[in-house]
């Protein structure tokens, strides 16, 4: 018994989730007459239109209708010739209408066509709509995308992954209706029972992973359900494009006999299983095929209205009329086509997309000047990305690349500099230039060695005043005290006549106190330094240290044990001194785990025990103490900062400071580097008092508090996490601080935690332990009050 062609199919198109109109069109025709089915087979078409307004919709509808009508009207021809003639007629019709009506100018459509006849599948494609064959548990893409990125993949310049996200992934290099002549691809394969063919637009394959498509078409037995589920999958992924899919199941395929029928004008045999150019229709000359044809508006209307009919003679007459009309206007259109739709159409499309991106980038740059600073920087970062993509794109014309580079250097860079300057002004940021630093190398004798040893760490650093009357000191030196490895040292830093640190030789001496095994914390008040020390037996005491005259080029010190700190289960941690008030923080107390003892006045007998005047509870262990402006400021190791109120009760402080941008000095920015962006905090910096320590800035445990020697009402706070020192104005009547300035530094200054400050004139001299070295740098005194 002769095998007959039996099929089951599912056909559906969907507008998707983001588009207002559906520019996809599909058609299928399976003749019910057995003779026609045996001779012509069944036809399925997917077209994905493109063009403004409704032009894409018109192009795709004209494409599917013309291919269907012309194919079934061309009885007597072989299958391949009929397909070639129908595809060419569709191209002629779309191109003619686009040239005749300005609202359709430039419209076109992708197309994938399947004819199943005589046991073979004939697949033709133009553009990036696809056909797959599913057989023996595998899915194979038959067609090759006619797109710019696909061509780059085929020649090895892009990977599949890069192509999926490339900026030019939507640039089509071939389509129906955009050029007078077209070259479609043809693929022929013998079918087997149980084969399945999937045809789809890029609204499916562009937004659903191929593995997911394969899983669906392999496991779903119903063609209708498979199509429905595939479209649902694309919509579930956002549905950004129109979606079309056709699934055809081969229930029974006729046996193939003989070779593939060849067109009369075929120069080479058709190779099964390979992609090859669709032959030019025999009824059209090669010159006419190179230019293609167009029809009048009336002819287009007739094409759209035509339907399969049994009167073949009338169809042939109508087709002949269409062909004559096309040839009649061919010469008029050819010159215009060559200019508008010549071989460089794809290149022009790439260039136009690049120009569109540059226009968007320029618009972002122009809008930035009227936006809040942080928002402007974000917009400028987007503009740089757009312009840089085109400046580095090898696919666009050099003139467009030059425009992109000019946009980066002449428009973007000045706009970024302006936005950075506005941001710095709003955030009270003062750049500290790294070129103004003075580094020092310090070597000292240690408790275990009399030979000078380089200092490699510091856990505390304080300067003492030289204006309190120390006539025996050698002029031109600034005494500073620091703790390293639990030992206390004094160093003399060279300064000029204005007391500004300057390059030169430093001297250093170990401060040795009998009975002391370790120094925990240091503070300074005027010309005297104070240290919190621990003895070998585990006791704690406060010691004063005063600089005496230099002997043989080295400083000498006078030390006095002022009082013993009485402890039970507590562990003293930090010290702050202001006049007769001594503050000692502790951890792990019996009743209050964390707190501060206040000792009022020095004991009458130095060395004797002291009794704390008051114990102040803290919410966490202290990381740094500073007594200034008749108050105590405390940085906790949880990152919060607080202050004792007039009754000596701890109150949290909120320090609100916008983070600095990566580029501190706006004048140094160039488009060669990314645009520095910051979090969107364009509000004016404020201060507030709150009981919740996490409100406002939270600092790292290696931050440090320091006094401002030029302005007693100011406090300085180092913030190594953001490479800055904050200048804060204080209030003696109630807890609270106000941000005055942010001194933001750059290399070679980095990660300043340990900080001490002296003053000269209107300039603060910051001493900082920075990445394993001691250095100084000047910062201007804040002019805010």
């Amino acid at each position: 018994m002769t095998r007959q062609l039996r099929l089951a199919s599912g056909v559906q198109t969907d507008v998707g989730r983001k588009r207002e109109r559906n520019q996809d069109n599909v058609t299928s025709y399976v003749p019910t007459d057995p003779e026609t089915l045996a001779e012509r087979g069944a036809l399925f078409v997917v077209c994905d239109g493109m063009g403004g307004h409704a032009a894409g919709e018109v192009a795709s509808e004209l494409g599917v209708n013309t291919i269907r009508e012309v194919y079934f009207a061309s009885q007597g021809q072989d299958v391949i010739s009929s397909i070639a003639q129908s595809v060419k007629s569709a191209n002629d019709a779309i191109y003619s209408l686009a040239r005749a009506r300005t609202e359709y100018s430039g419209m076109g459509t992708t197309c994938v066509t399947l004819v199943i006849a005589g046991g073979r599948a004939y697949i033709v494609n133009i553009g990036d709509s696809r056909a797959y064959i599913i057989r023996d548990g595998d899915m194979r893409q038959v067609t090759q995308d006619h797109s710019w990125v696909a061509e780059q993949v085929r020649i090895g310049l892009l990977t599949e992954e890069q192509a999926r996200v490339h900026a030019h992934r939507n640039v089509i290099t071939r389509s129906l209706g955009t050029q007078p002549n077209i070259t479609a691809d043809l693929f022929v394969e013998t079918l087997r029972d149980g084969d399945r063919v999937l045809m789809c637009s890029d609204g499916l394959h562009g937004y659903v992973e191929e593995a997911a498509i394969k899983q669906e078409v392999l496991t779903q037995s119903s063609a209708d359900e498979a199509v429905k589920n595939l479209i649902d999958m694309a919509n579930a992924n956002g549905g950004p494009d129109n979606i079309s899919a056709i699934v055809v199941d081969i229930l029974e395929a006729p046996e193939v006999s003989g070779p593939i029928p060849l067109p009369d004008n075929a120069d080479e045999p058709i190779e099964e299983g390979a992609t090859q150019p669709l032959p030019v229709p025999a009824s059209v000359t090669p010159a006419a095929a190179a230019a293609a044809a167009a029809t009048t508006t009336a002819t287009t209307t007739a094409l759209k209205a035509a339907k399969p009919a049994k009167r073949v003679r009338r169809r042939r007459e109508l087709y002949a009329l269409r062909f004559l009309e096309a040839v009649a206007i061919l010469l008029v259109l050819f010159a215009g086509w060559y200019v508008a739709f010549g071989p460089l159409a794809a290149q022009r499309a790439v260039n136009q997309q690049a120009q569109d991106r540059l226009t968007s980038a320029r618009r972002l740059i122009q809008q930035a000047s009227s936006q809040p600073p942080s928002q402007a920087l974000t917009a400028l970062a987007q503009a740089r990305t757009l312009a840089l993509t085109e400046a580095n794109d090898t696919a666009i014309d050099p003139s467009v690349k030059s425009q992109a580079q000019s946009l980066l250097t002449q428009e973007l860079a000045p706009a970024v500099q302006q936005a950075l300057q506005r941001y710095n002004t709003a955030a009270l940021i003062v750049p500290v230039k790294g070129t103004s630093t003075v580094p020092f190398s310090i070597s000292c004798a240690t408790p275990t060695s009399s030979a000078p040893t380089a200092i490699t760490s510091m856990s505390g650093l304080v300067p003492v005043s030289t204006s309190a009357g120390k006539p025996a000191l050698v002029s031109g030196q600034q005494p500073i005290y620091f703790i390293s490895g639990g030992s206390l040292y004094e160093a003399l830093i060279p300064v000029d006549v204005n007391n500004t640190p300057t390059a030169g030789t430093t001297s250093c001496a170990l401060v040795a106190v009998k009975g002391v095994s370790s120094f925990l914390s240091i503070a300074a008040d005027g010309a005297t330094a104070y240290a919190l020390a621990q003895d070998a037996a585990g006791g704690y005491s406060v010691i004063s240290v005063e600089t005496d005259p230099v002997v043989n080029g080295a400083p000498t010190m006078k030390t006095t044990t002022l009082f013993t700190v009485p402890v039970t289960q507590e562990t003293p941690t930090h010290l702050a001194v202001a006049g007769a008030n001594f503050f000692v923080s502790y951890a792990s107390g019996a009743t209050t785990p964390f707190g501060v003892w206040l000792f009022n006045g020095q004991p009458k007998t130095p060395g004797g025990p002291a009794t704390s005047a008051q114990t102040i509870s803290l919410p966490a262990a202290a990381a740094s103490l500073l007594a200034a402006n008749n108050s105590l400021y405390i940085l906790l190791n949880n990152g919060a900062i607080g202050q004792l109120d007039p009754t000596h009760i701890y109150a949290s402080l909120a320090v609100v400071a916008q983070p600095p941008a990566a580029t501190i000095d706006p004048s140094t920015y160039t488009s060669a580097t990314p645009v520095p962006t910051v979090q969107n905090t364009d509000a004016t910096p404020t201060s507030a008092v709150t009981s919740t320590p996490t409100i406002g800035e939270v600092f790292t445990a290696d931050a440090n508090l320091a006094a401002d020697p030029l302005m007693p009402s100011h406090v300085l706070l180092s913030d190594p996490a953001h490479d800055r020192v904050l200048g804060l104005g204080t209030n003696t009547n109630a807890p609270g601080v106000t941000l005055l300035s942010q001194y933001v530094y750059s290399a070679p200054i980095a990660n300043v935690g340990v900080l001490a400050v002296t003053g000269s004139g209107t300039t603060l001299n910051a001493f900082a332990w920075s990445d394993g070295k001691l250095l100084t740098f000047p910062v201007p005194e804040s002019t805010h009050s």
Side-chain angles (χ1 to χ4, degrees):
M1 181 176 178
T2 304
R3 296 172 61 86
Q4 303 294 322
L5 177 62
R6 292 193 303 113
L7 305 172
S9 63
V11 181
Q12 188 173 340
T13 183
D14 188 87
V15 70
R17 297 283 177 83
K18 300 296 180 63
R19 300 289 178 88
E20 294 182 357
R21 307 179 68 94
N22 191 353
Q23 294 190 315
D24 285 7
N25 264 284
V26 296
T27 192
S28 65
Y29 187 71
V30 182
T32 56
D33 176 26
E35 292 184 5
T36 305
L37 180 62
E39 179 189 353
R40 309 306 296 156
L43 177 136
F44 304 86
V45 185
V46 173
C47 283
D48 179 359
M50 52 195 175
H53 303 291
E57 183 179 346
V58 171
S60 63
E61 183 179 4
L62 197 53
V64 298
N65 288 342
T66 303
I67 289 173
R68 183 187 65 223
E69 308 309 327
V70 173
Y71 177 78
F72 284 102
S74 59
Q75 295 187 16
Q77 292 183 316
D78 61 90
V79 171
I80 294 176
S81 294
S82 296
I83 297 174
Q85 188 62 71
S86 66
V87 170
K88 181 188 181 304
S89 296
N91 188 76
D92 292 347
I94 298 168
Y95 182 71
S96 173
L97 185 59
R99 298 290 291 172
R101 297 178 61 174
T102 57
E103 67 268 32
Y104 296 151
S105 177
M107 72 175 178
T109 182
T110 69
C111 177
V112 59
T113 298
L114 166 67
V115 172
I116 300 176
R120 290 188 173 99
Y122 299 82
I123 298 173
V124 173
N125 83 290
I126 302 167
D128 63 352
S129 291
R130 292 180 179 177
Y132 298 85
I133 286 184
I134 297 90
R135 174 183 293 166
D136 297 333
D138 193 19
M139 183 175 79
R140 168 170 50 92
Q141 182 179 339
V142 175
T143 56
Q144 292 185 350
D145 291 352
H146 300 146
S147 65
W148 184 84
V149 293
E151 292 173 358
Q152 301 303 299
V153 170
R154 286 194 283 272
I155 62 177
L157 296 180
L158 288 177
T159 65
E160 292 283 358
E161 292 74 16
Q162 291 170 331
R164 287 184 67 87
V165 298
H166 198 278
H168 301 322
R169 62 186 179 277
N170 294 323
V171 176
I172 304 301
T173 56
R174 291 191 225 173
S175 59
L176 276 178
T178 55
Q179 299 183 34
N181 71 312
I182 54 168
T183 301
D185 285 347
L186 169 68
F187 181 94
V188 183
E189 180 158 327
T190 298
L191 295 172
R192 307 177 192 171
D193 293 355
D195 283 352
R196 171 172 278 184
V197 181
L198 167 65
M199 306 163 66
C200 62
S201 64
D202 67 338
L204 175 63
H205 71 72
Y207 300 98
V208 180
E209 293 290 340
E210 192 164 290
I213 296 175
K214 177 180 177 181
Q215 177 69 17
E216 176 60 31
V217 296
L218 285 176
T219 57
Q220 179 55 251
S221 59
S222 166
D224 271 327
E225 285 299 314
V227 167
K228 179 180 180 299
N229 292 345
L230 288 171
I231 288 179
D232 288 345
M233 292 163 65
N235 277 324
N237 288 344
D241 199 357
N242 308 142
I243 315 154
S244 296
I246 296 177
V247 171
V248 182
D249 287 341
I250 313 302
L251 305 179
E252 182 178 334
E255 293 182 0
V256 172
S257 59
I260 299 172
L262 298 180
D264 294 338
N265 64 328
D267 296 329
E268 298 179 357
I270 301 298
E271 183 180 352
E272 185 167 326
T275 300
Q276 54 234 292
L278 179 67
V280 176
S283 59
V284 182
T285 66
T295 61
T296 63
T297 302
T299 302
T300 302
T301 303
L303 280 171
K304 294 173 65 177
K307 297 190 178 295
K310 297 181 180 180
R311 297 183 180 181
V312 175
R313 180 175 299 176
R314 288 188 61 189
R315 291 188 176 278
R316 289 177 176 172
E317 291 174 353
L318 177 61
Y319 179 71
L321 177 62
R322 293 171 183 157
F323 178 72
L324 291 175
E325 290 174 341
V327 172
I329 64 172
L330 177 61
L331 294 177
V332 176
L333 296 176
F334 179 76
W337 163 82
Y338 190 82
V339 173
F341 302 99
L344 298 180
Q347 180 64 53
R348 286 197 299 273
V350 171
N351 289 341
Q352 184 57 53
Q353 288 193 353
Q355 291 282 11
D356 291 344
R357 290 188 179 87
L358 293 182
T359 299
S360 297
R362 183 170 285 106
R363 186 180 301 113
L364 288 170
I365 293 171
Q366 292 170 348
Q367 293 172 348
S369 60
S370 61
Q371 295 172 330
S374 65
Q375 183 181 343
L377 290 171
T378 299
L380 292 170
Q382 296 171 349
R384 180 180 182 270
T385 299
L386 289 170
L388 198 62
T389 298
E390 307 314 324
N392 295 332
D393 193 343
T394 58
I396 63 176
D397 285 347
S399 61
V400 182
K401 290 169 64 71
S402 177
Q403 293 177 40
Q405 190 58 54
S406 176
L407 183 70
L408 288 167
T409 57
Q410 298 182 21
E411 297 182 50
L412 176 80
V416 173
Q417 292 174 358
Q418 182 191 56
L420 282 172
Q421 184 58 60
R422 290 195 295 122
Y423 182 83
N424 284 355
T425 300
L428 305 177
I429 291 173
V430 178
V432 175
K433 296 183 179 180
T435 54
S436 61
T437 60
V438 179
F440 298 100
S441 298
I442 300 178
S443 297
C444 284
T446 68
T448 58
S449 173
S450 59
T453 302
I455 299 298
T456 58
S457 66
M458 285 188 183
S459 58
L461 179 66
V462 295
V464 292
S465 172
T466 58
S467 62
K470 288 289 180 179
L473 289 178
V474 175
S475 63
Q477 292 179 324
Q478 169 64 58
I480 62 171
Y481 289 88
F482 62 90
I483 296 174
S484 179
S487 297
L488 180 62
Y489 300 89
E490 182 194 34
L492 298 180
I493 304 298
V495 294
D496 62 18
V497 294
N498 296 317
N499 204 39
T500 300
T502 184
T505 303
T506 62
S507 57
C508 179
L510 175 68
V511 180
V513 180
K514 185 176 181 180
V516 171
S517 63
S518 178
F519 289 91
L520 308 178
S521 178
I522 54 174
D525 187 34
T528 304
Y530 299 89
L532 175 63
Q534 182 179 21
D535 60 33
Y540 298 90
S541 59
V542 174
I543 298 170
S544 67
V545 184
E546 294 183 288
T547 301
D548 273 354
V550 173
V551 177
N552 296 327
T556 59
M557 284 75 64
K558 175 184 177 182
T559 62
T560 304
T561 300
L562 299 180
F563 60 91
T564 301
V565 179
V567 299
T568 53
Q569 301 179 29
E570 302 86 359
T571 302
T573 57
H574 294 84
L575 172 69
V577 181
N581 291 328
F582 291 76
F583 299 89
V584 177
S585 62
Y586 66 87
S588 302
T591 57
T592 55
F594 312 106
V596 175
W597 292 309
L598 167 59
F599 297 93
N600 290 115
Q602 298 181 27
K604 295 180 180 179
T605 306
T611 301
S612 63
Q614 190 173 356
T615 299
I616 301 104
S617 178
L618 298 178
S624 178
L625 301 181
L626 175 66
N629 202 26
N630 297 319
S631 189
L632 180 70
Y633 297 89
I634 307 167
L635 177 68
L636 302 179
N637 62 8
N638 67 1
I641 184 173
Q643 175 186 1
L644 298 190
D645 68 12
T647 63
H648 291 165
I649 302 300
Y650 176 84
S652 294
L653 302 177
V655 179
V656 180
Q658 294 174 243
T663 301
I664 302 170
D665 186 351
S667 65
T668 63
Y669 176 79
T670 68
S671 60
T673 59
V675 176
T677 57
V678 289
Q679 64 187 33
N680 190 13
T681 53
D682 287 308
T684 302
T686 59
S687 64
V689 179
T690 174
S691 59
T692 306
T694 56
I695 293 180
E697 296 292 314
V698 176
F699 303 94
T700 54
D702 57 349
N704 190 59
L705 292 163
D708 184 333
L710 299 180
M711 192 72 71
S713 62
H714 293 181
V715 169
L716 300 174
L717 173 64
S718 66
D719 180 15
H722 291 95
D723 285 339
R724 63 184 175 181
V725 175
L726 303 182
L728 306 174
T730 67
N731 187 350
T732 57
N733 297 323
V737 292
T738 302
L739 180 66
L740 303 177
S741 295
Q742 297 193 65
Y743 305 111
V744 183
Y745 48 81
S746 58
I749 315 170
N751 304 315
V752 171
V754 178
L755 175 72
V757 182
T758 63
S760 56
T762 59
T763 301
L764 296 172
N765 304 310
F767 290 81
W769 185 254
S770 173
D771 280 356
K773 57 184 178 296
L774 179 68
L775 49 80
T776 68
F777 56 91
V779 296
E781 176 61 81
S782 173
T783 58
H784 298 79
S785 59

